[in-house]
Amino acid sequence: MNRAARAVSVLAAAALAAPAFAHAEERTLTFTTAAISVEGYGVAQQPMLAESPNVDGYVVGMEAEVVDAQGRVQGRDKVMLHHIVFAKIGVSDYTCGGAAERFFAEGEERLALSLPRGYGYANKATDRWGLLYMLMNHRPQRLNGYIRYTVRYVIGEALTPVKPIWLDVRNCTGPDPVFDVPGGGKRFSTFTKTADFTMPESGRLVSGGGHLHGGGLRVELRNATCGTMPFASRPTWGGPIPKPILHEPGPTKMSSFRSTEGIPVAKGQRLRLAAVYDNSAPHTRAMGIMLLFLAPGAVEGCGATPPLDVDLGRPSAPPAFTMPLPRAPKGPVSRATSTYVGDFRYGAERILLGRGQTFTWRFMGRFQHDVTVVGGPVGFSAPWTTSGVFRHRFTKAGTYRIFCSLHPAKMVQQITVR
Ligand SMILES: [Cu+2]
């Protein structure tokens, strides 16, 4: 069918469907945040209030992008939308509690929210939304951007309400829920991190998708009580890699599912999320997340998974990737076993150690920094901080390339272990 014929048939289908929704209306609402500024080659992260629909209804779809002052979409080569998380303020999160219910997120893979027909995330005119963004500027000049998000919103019709269930292998551990894949394994070896969550109620999972970083193989959703794996979200790799390379490239798509019938899960059953990574090389600051939508309702025992409508993409194994440092470490080679981490440098950039020695980083900046191995025999990282110390004992010889993931173009270090 050519494009025109397809358009006509879509219109015809819409006309046939229209009477059933005569009193309902689906609106596409577009919102734009206040300006966000990110320094050249910098990373910025901040929570902010986010405008939301001013009428009662249901969110049935959502997506977000970064635009400039003229409303032009900024591609991955200009700004990397690392993470955006939307939450409803004053509502307890399904898995973490607290006072913000996470209901939509996008990362580098740009996974849009799209619920199956008949389901919606209920929202009131008086509800307040917030968002947390993390953007990486891939250009030398300061970025002045905006996050523009589009909400598909149904009013005038009662939909089956869904609850967002945010599963994360590092769940509820703060704004940077990362872990390190040490690497150093044989080719095709894997590293798996899991977390369990016991369902407080029964229902059917009608939509879901995963989030992984570079080196990720899949995010599995298991029902540990029933011994089943209803879904695994798989990454698609490829496309141009934005230069300069400021982090290990992540998937450009993650597979997601929708199901009108839904995956049954009963109260008291244990959902197990498993993030599976390649372990032939280090992958630091990795994540493993799946956002699911539950339609609460009666479910008994272990039911069969219905056929899922899967948006698969083109899954493949992650490409082998050697991450360069954005610039060469400078200065004389030091045999010191400690240095400072300040604004915006490591005290010593070139270090020589003996095997078995421990190195200490002393944090003393006004701004947060970290220590992140981007390549070497073993992957490890220190969390973002402004004070305190971080130590690592080097038991494997080789060259460790290190940067601060928040200031990758400025803060680099190389440690050679003999
Ligand atoms: Cu830093």
Side-chain angles (χ1 to χ4, degrees), residues 368-370 404 406-407 411:
Q368 288 195 321
H369 304 290
D370 65 41
C404 168
L406 298 173
H407 308 102
M411 301 175 62

